[in-house]
Amino acid sequence: MSKFILDLRGDNAETMDSGGAPVPGWYAVRLEDVYQDNQAEDTTVLEFLIVEGAFTNRKLFYRFAGPDSAADDAKLKIIINRIKMLASRMGIISETDADKEVEIDFVTAVGWEGVVQFEERQYTGDDGALRTTRSIGYSAVYPAGHKDLAKKQLPAKLKRFAPAADAASSVTEKKPRGRKPPAAREPAAAGVGAGGANGTHGDIPLDDI
């Protein structure tokens, strides 16, 4: 068979050329599963499902190491900070948990929805060769309304995830028409002049540690 009917609405040159694999960009996602990586000890995998757009139902993965894998105190601090960041953004911990010892279980966040930025980056392999990979950015997991999204270039279809003030700025608002002040009168004139005028309105390297 040489003829096919395809629905290309929502596609562009990049998505058509990708073979179905998600391309770098912003995606609305839902956390579908959490599990341990069977190829890397003490590594947790967050499995996200893309919920809209040309790559709906495709999966993105975020891997991060646990404290037991830290080689030194500096790396331990980075690992703990990452875990706290993710747990906070997914609603597992909040300000009320400050100054307490808490247990964090990412399984409890399954069903969480937000946006992620899928990025392409380069890294040096163990053999010294420069390689390219794609992954969710180190801190690029955000709930709706997160303050940092105000500084991000979200596509128009995902502007609803931006903080309220930033989202509102992307909508053209109608403003009441202003009125020009009355024209100066000649001593003998009785007319009033009036007119309307339209209102015018850095991140830590992405390598898993």
Side-chain angles (χ1 to χ4, degrees):
M1 188 174 183
S2 61
K3 293 184 180 180
F4 304 91
I5 297 176
L6 300 178
D7 184 357
L8 299 179
R9 288 172 292 185
D11 272 296
N12 56 39
E14 194 169 23
T15 62
M16 289 187 289
D17 188 60
S18 72
V23 298
W26 287 93
Y27 294 98
V29 297
R30 179 174 63 246
L31 182 63
E32 286 289 288
D33 200 3
V34 180
Y35 49 89
Q36 294 299 303
D37 192 327
N38 58 16
Q39 296 182 349
E41 187 177 353
D42 195 32
T43 296
T44 299
V45 180
L46 304 181
E47 181 181 297
F48 294 100
L49 188 73
I50 298 173
V51 296
E52 62 181 71
F55 297 104
T56 297
N57 293 327
R58 301 290 295 189
K59 294 178 179 180
L60 299 175
F61 303 90
Y62 186 108
R63 292 174 170 83
F64 62 95
D68 290 345
S69 65
D72 52 49
D73 289 345
K75 288 187 176 180
L76 176 62
K77 184 176 181 180
I78 292 173
I79 288 171
I80 291 175
N81 283 339
R82 183 199 292 230
I83 293 172
K84 288 191 291 187
M85 173 194 70
L86 291 169
S88 174
R89 294 185 182 184
M90 292 183 173
I92 302 171
I93 58 173
S94 66
E95 187 176 358
T96 60
D97 294 310
D99 295 323
K100 300 177 184 177
E101 183 175 274
V102 296
E103 180 179 77
I104 295 173
D105 185 355
F106 282 94
V107 171
T108 63
V110 169
W112 174 90
E113 295 186 347
V115 290
V116 300
Q117 187 175 24
F118 191 53
E119 303 173 342
E120 184 170 274
R121 63 184 176 88
Q122 291 186 323
Y123 69 99
T124 302
D126 294 337
D127 58 359
L130 191 63
R131 305 182 189 282
T132 300
T133 188
R134 291 177 176 179
S135 62
I136 296 173
Y138 174 91
S139 61
V141 177
Y142 300 96
H146 193 278
K147 58 182 177 57
D148 286 356
L149 290 175
K151 300 175 286 187
K152 305 297 183 180
Q153 297 296 317
L154 291 174
K157 63 184 179 181
L158 298 182
K159 279 289 187 180
R160 68 184 186 278
F161 287 96
D166 187 61
S169 68
S170 67
V171 179
T172 302
E173 299 180 355
K174 292 184 178 180
K175 293 195 173 183
R177 289 176 176 268
R179 184 177 295 276
K180 291 182 179 179
R185 297 186 180 186
E186 294 294 333
V192 176
N198 287 327
T200 58
H201 124 198
D203 287 334
I204 296 173
L206 303 175
D207 294 312
D208 287 335
I209 297 170

